[in-house]
Amino acid sequence: MKKIIATCLFTLFLVSSLFAQSNTQTNFTIAPPPLGYPEFPEEGSVSNKIDFLYASVQGKDFSLHGMFLGWVPRYGNDLVAIEGLLGMSVMNGDITTPYGSQSLTFIGMHMAPAIELPIYNSKDFKFIMFGGYDFSLTRTSFTTTDPYSSGTMTWYLDTSLYGPLLGFQMHFGFADTFIFSPFFMMKSISGTVDVSTDPAYVSMQQSYDIPSYTVTTYGFDIIETESGVSLSGILDMAQRTEENSDVKTYKFSISMKI
């Protein structure tokens, strides 16, 4: 059972970090930037953006496919902007255990309020600093053979991850048609995982702390200005470790102003 929990905790770490834009500690992406469409008009402006992400994660003992859908409302003027990401993620797949192949499901909620400050703000070039707080809740469930009976037992892993984020984003305008937007973001994340079962057994109800770790993400995107559409493939160029050497991640995303 300990091997099953360890495998699920590692898989959970990958999935949770995936929807936070990184599956290891350092990551390069060709992806929508954290704030998407940088704008600081002369007058107050309210805007909204929809983010969609499809993801596939495959490793030695698991194979997962899923999606993330996020909404980003934003209010900004020429001095400051306030925004917040609110999103939901769903992933499903199989995990290999000593009891055979089992179905694995992730359902999560993600929230990240942030404040943006324009350090330099002109029509063709903008340099934006931003900071905020990242928070996510995820429930993972899978079914195995019940060690105390001939039936089955469902495991639940309830995970909370949270921590501050900080970064910058640049805006290069081209002929009033496209924006080239490189960015850098850093997060300090920690949290907890509560493990429970159905039927419930006291000896299997455990809680684990997730020690603090740092995630850095950098990359760029090209945005069409009139529609605000940001269509991106995502390329991971992360350092290989013993734990993730067999893991392959594929992601595709699209963002659009509404």
Side-chain angles (χ1 to χ4, degrees):
M1 288 297 175
K2 290 184 178 179
K3 182 179 179 181
I4 297 175
I5 295 176
T7 303
C8 285
L9 286 174
F10 174 66
T11 309
L12 176 64
F13 170 78
L14 288 179
V15 171
S16 299
S17 298
L18 168 68
F19 292 126
Q21 294 193 3
S22 179
N23 65 350
T24 56
Q25 288 190 339
T26 303
N27 188 39
F28 172 81
T29 67
I30 303 172
L35 305 180
Y37 187 88
E39 53 185 336
F40 282 88
E42 295 300 321
E43 298 178 358
S45 175
V46 176
S47 62
N48 293 271
K49 181 166 69 79
I50 294 294
D51 292 332
F52 174 81
L53 169 69
Y54 168 79
S56 171
V57 184
Q58 300 181 42
K60 180 180 178 181
D61 297 317
F62 57 89
S63 176
L64 295 166
H65 304 273
M67 59 171 284
F68 171 83
L69 183 64
W71 170 51
V72 185
R74 180 183 184 278
Y75 172 80
N77 55 36
D78 59 343
L79 297 176
V80 68
I82 300 173
E83 69 165 15
L85 167 65
L86 183 62
M88 293 288 295
S89 59
V90 177
M91 293 201 81
N92 182 261
D94 297 311
I95 182 171
T96 301
T97 74
Y99 303 100
S101 180
Q102 310 290 343
S103 177
L104 185 65
T105 300
F106 295 84
I107 300 176
M109 182 199 75
H110 190 86
M111 181 171 61
I115 296 177
E116 311 166 34
L117 297 173
I119 305 303
Y120 187 87
N121 184 15
S122 68
K123 179 180 178 181
D124 295 326
F125 175 74
K126 303 178 191 295
F127 184 88
I128 302 166
M129 297 290 295
F130 62 89
Y133 202 81
D134 194 87
F135 179 77
S136 66
L137 292 173
T138 305
R139 162 156 281 204
T140 307
S141 62
F142 65 101
T143 301
T144 64
T145 301
D146 191 331
Y148 299 107
S149 70
S150 59
T152 60
M153 175 174 64
T154 301
W155 292 75
Y156 297 101
L157 286 75
D158 295 308
T159 306
S160 60
L161 294 171
Y162 42 82
L165 63 89
L166 183 69
F168 67 83
Q169 179 179 351
M170 289 182 283
H171 163 134
F172 296 92
F174 293 94
D176 297 325
T177 304
F178 295 100
I179 294 173
F180 175 69
S181 183
F183 64 89
F184 173 84
M185 180 172 62
M186 178 180 293
K187 298 180 182 181
S188 179
I189 302 295
S190 59
T192 59
V193 178
D194 295 321
V195 180
S196 59
T197 62
D198 183 19
Y201 299 103
V202 174
S203 61
M204 295 183 182
Q205 315 306 303
Q206 301 287 337
S207 182
Y208 301 89
D209 290 328
I210 300 175
S212 178
Y213 62 95
T214 300
V215 176
T216 58
T217 306
Y218 61 97
F220 68 88
D221 191 41
I222 297 177
I223 305 164
E224 200 280 318
T225 56
E226 185 172 348
S227 64
V229 170
S230 172
L231 183 63
S232 305
I234 297 184
L235 173 65
D236 287 326
M237 299 176 63
Q239 181 180 358
R240 292 288 183 178
T241 66
E242 181 179 350
E243 290 80 7
N244 72 3
S245 61
D246 295 324
V247 177
K248 295 181 180 180
T249 302
Y250 304 95
K251 298 180 282 185
F252 176 80
S253 66
I254 183 172
S255 298
M256 179 181 296
K257 287 186 65 181
I258 57 174

